[in-house]
Structure formats: structure tokens, C-alpha cells
Amino acid sequence: MLLPIKKSEIDKLIPSVATGKQFNSALGNPQKIFQRIMISTIGGVITLLISQSQVTSQFYSLWLVLGVVILLYILWGPILEASRKNLKFKNYSFSALVDGYISDVYVEDRVENKQEQANNYGKLEIVEKKRTWVVLDIEDDDGFIGNISFPLQNKFNILKKGMRINCVVFSNRKDFSNIQAISDAWCPEINLWVGFYPFLLRPAFEEFIIRRISN
């Protein structure tokens, strides 16, 4: 069952500015965090050094502020990335609450990154780093809606076919004949949230479900 959601309601369910959970998610894996630190450190130091050579220049203050901003990239970078993700979902023309069920649960290995590495014979070969993901197929009384996926954790072992699941779908078509995005989801029977990125404000969404479904 798809229940249309008003724009004003979506604004309450998906924040414009990143939350703490969204910030942590946008930080990424250790490699991405390291890259952000390097950009912040190297870029910030270089810019501050330039500012010191411009002490007598009218642009000194500008270079100084720019250096501080770059040094703080490790903080505002994830916030900006998360806020862009939120905005992308909020910009879809139509959204609807899904009151459905899990029609299938399975896992698959996905390549996270590739790198060249020398083997025992000194020859370079491509080494793939894989990670196991859980995939949930979601259906309602009208048929298949879509699927969501997320990295495997032990807490997800309790997910079973037939369990009720609630999420939000987005489309630019009023009849939702082409679903273009799916939010993270809540399984109320086991009080478990699933999804790769926490788009929804969880307490607000749980309250929203109870209010809409009961009505």
C-alpha cells in the first residue's frame, strides 16, 4: 500500500541540515576519512602559509579565512555531502509511505575498491576488496516496489521473508509507475532500522507511521 505524503510532511521527516547519524554515515570508510584529513591538513597549511606571505596585502584576511575553512573541511565536508543527499530526495515531485513486506532476503558480495598489487613473481595484478551486502526485496499488495541494500551486520540475521516493512518512495510521476528512490526502512515487528544511509528522522517517522496507518 502506497500512501501519498505531502511536501510539508517530507520536510519534517527528512532534515535540510545533516543530523549526527547522517554526518557519521557521510564520513565514509577509513580510506575516505584519511583522504579528508589529508585535504584538510595539506590544503589548510599551504593556504595559511600563503596568507603569511600576504600580511601587508589587502587580501591577507581573505587568505587567512580560506585557510581556516580548508582546515575545517573534515567537519563541513561530510555535513555538505549529507545535506546534498537530503536535498536530492526532497526535490522529487512526489513521495509516498510504503506499508509493505519483505518478499526476499539475500546477500551478495560487492567490490568496494580495486588496487594494483605485486604478486610473488613481481608482476602487478588487480586485487579486489569485497564486502558482503544484505538485499531486501520489498512488495505490497499491488506487487514489487523495489529493494534496498546495506552492509551485512550480525543484527540483520533476524530479517525474514514476510516481515512488515515501512519506508518512503520517491518519484516524479504521480502514479509512482517509476519509483526513482527509496529511503531507509523500519521493520516495526522487530523494531529494526535498515538501509545504507539514514535519510529519515527515525522517531518522527515511527510516529508518522502509527498516525497514518491507524487512520
Side-chain angles (χ1 to χ4, degrees), residues 60-118:
Y60 169 70
S61 298
L62 178 62
W63 279 107
L64 184 62
V65 171
L66 184 60
V68 173
V69 169
I70 295 177
L71 280 173
L72 294 176
Y73 172 70
I74 186 63
L75 296 177
W76 62 260
I79 294 175
L80 181 61
E81 181 178 328
S83 298
R84 284 178 175 174
K85 287 182 178 180
N86 294 351
L87 183 61
K88 180 180 178 181
F89 271 42
K90 289 160 73 79
N91 280 341
Y92 285 111
S93 300
F94 304 99
S95 57
L97 170 65
V98 176
D99 187 25
Y101 62 91
I102 300 172
S103 60
D104 198 7
V105 185
Y106 54 96
V107 297
E108 59 183 27
D109 289 331
R110 298 182 180 178
V111 177
E112 284 201 328
N113 59 59
K114 298 179 180 180
Q115 61 182 20
E116 288 188 340
Q117 183 175 307

Side-chain angles (χ1 to χ4, degrees), residues 29-40:
N29 55 34
Q31 182 179 357
K32 190 172 183 180
I33 294 174
F34 178 73
Q35 289 174 346
R36 291 186 192 277
I37 292 174
M38 292 300 293
I39 293 172
S40 297

Side-chain angles (χ1 to χ4, degrees), residues 161-172:
K161 291 182 183 180
M163 282 185 172
R164 181 183 163 197
I165 190 167
N166 299 112
C167 59
V168 179
V169 292
F170 300 85
S171 178
N172 285 323

Side-chain angles (χ1 to χ4, degrees), residues 7 15 19 38 71 76 97 103 127 135 145 152 156 161 169 189 211:
K7 278 283 188 181
T19 64
M38 292 300 293
L71 280 173
W76 62 260
L97 170 65
S103 60
V127 177
V135 183
I145 291 175
L152 176 64
F156 298 133
K161 291 182 183 180
V169 292
E189 296 171 10
R211 185 171 66 251

